[in-house]
Amino acid sequence: MIVIDDALDLISSFDRRPFLVATDPPYAFGADVKEHAISATVAIVLRESARKLQTGGWMLVMCASSWRSVSYMIESVRGLVEPVRFGIWTKPKSRSKTRTPGWSWASVLVVAFRKGTSKELPASGTLDHIEAPPVTTGRRAELPAIVADWMIAPFATPGELLLDPFAGSGAIVAAAERAGMEAIGFERNP
């Protein structure tokens, strides 16, 4: 289920305790006021989502493959959840206009955080790497179903709740539902 409204407005009144928070938030680290507002919203919503997460639960956050982006996401939830593992989605063709000499692949990192301790870690290698092309139709940053399934499957617990505060096209919500979870996403842009 996707609720159409701003995550910043919805998260404060969200009274459920998800076992899994997974999201691909908007990346905005530019220098103008609009970009700063997006970055601030992401930080606040991630922090509030981490507060609501069940002890022993997991938080998966996709971020740009720059240290600045990774650091920003980790600092947003510091003290509430701990980073445990990284995964990498590499794309053989990038839709980005950014070009880096000597590097023809685009990559997205997934940071897996844990709240407190859990009975077990997902199996080794389950989130390490996936290679898949980006979706080239629909939303500009639409997440491919194969990538959403790769990301969610190791952490899915049937019957538990997944929250995606930046649901976008709903790929993560759909992956959680395929894995037998109840899933709620927030998205302000239908």
Side-chain angles (χ1 to χ4, degrees):
M1 172 175 72
I2 296 179
V3 179
I4 305 299
D5 204 347
D6 194 293
L8 197 56
D9 296 331
L10 293 170
I11 196 66
S12 61
S13 62
F14 190 72
D15 60 359
R16 309 245 343 248
R17 304 219 4 116
F19 176 76
L20 180 58
V21 171
T23 195
D24 183 7
Y27 312 141
F29 300 100
D32 67 33
V33 172
K34 184 178 177 185
E35 297 280 312
H36 287 296
I38 292 170
S39 296
T41 296
V42 168
I44 292 166
V45 171
L46 288 180
R47 188 150 191 87
E48 289 307 307
S49 297
R51 283 187 208 284
K52 294 175 186 298
L53 188 64
Q54 291 179 29
T55 300
W58 292 90
M59 183 174 205
L60 308 172
V61 180
M62 298 185 96
C63 48
S65 59
S66 69
W67 178 245
R68 181 178 181 193
S69 179
V70 173
S71 177
Y72 189 82
M73 301 303 179
I74 290 172
E75 290 303 318
S76 295
V77 295
R78 181 175 295 286
L80 297 172
V81 292
E82 294 297 321
V84 174
R85 172 176 270 155
F86 289 94
I88 302 169
W89 165 31
T90 55
K91 302 178 248 183
K93 293 182 181 178
S94 172
R95 292 182 71 188
S96 172
K97 293 179 181 165
T98 304
R99 299 289 178 246
T100 304
W103 186 251
S104 60
W105 291 64
S107 58
V108 175
L109 297 178
V110 178
V111 183
F113 299 90
R114 183 174 58 195
K115 185 168 188 173
T117 58
S118 63
K119 295 175 186 156
E120 58 187 56
L121 289 173
S124 179
T126 55
L127 186 66
D128 292 339
H129 178 264
I130 187 170
E131 179 183 329
V135 174
T136 57
T137 59
R139 294 176 74 101
R140 182 185 177 284
E142 187 171 337
L143 189 63
I146 191 170
V147 175
D149 288 338
W150 161 79
M151 182 174 152
I152 298 303
F155 302 92
T157 303
E160 289 283 1
L161 175 65
L162 169 132
L163 172 64
D164 181 351
F166 301 102
S169 66
I172 290 173
V173 169
E177 289 172 346
R178 284 191 294 276
M181 296 186 77
E182 178 186 359
I184 297 174
F186 302 154
E187 179 54 43
R188 75 178 196 167
N189 183 2

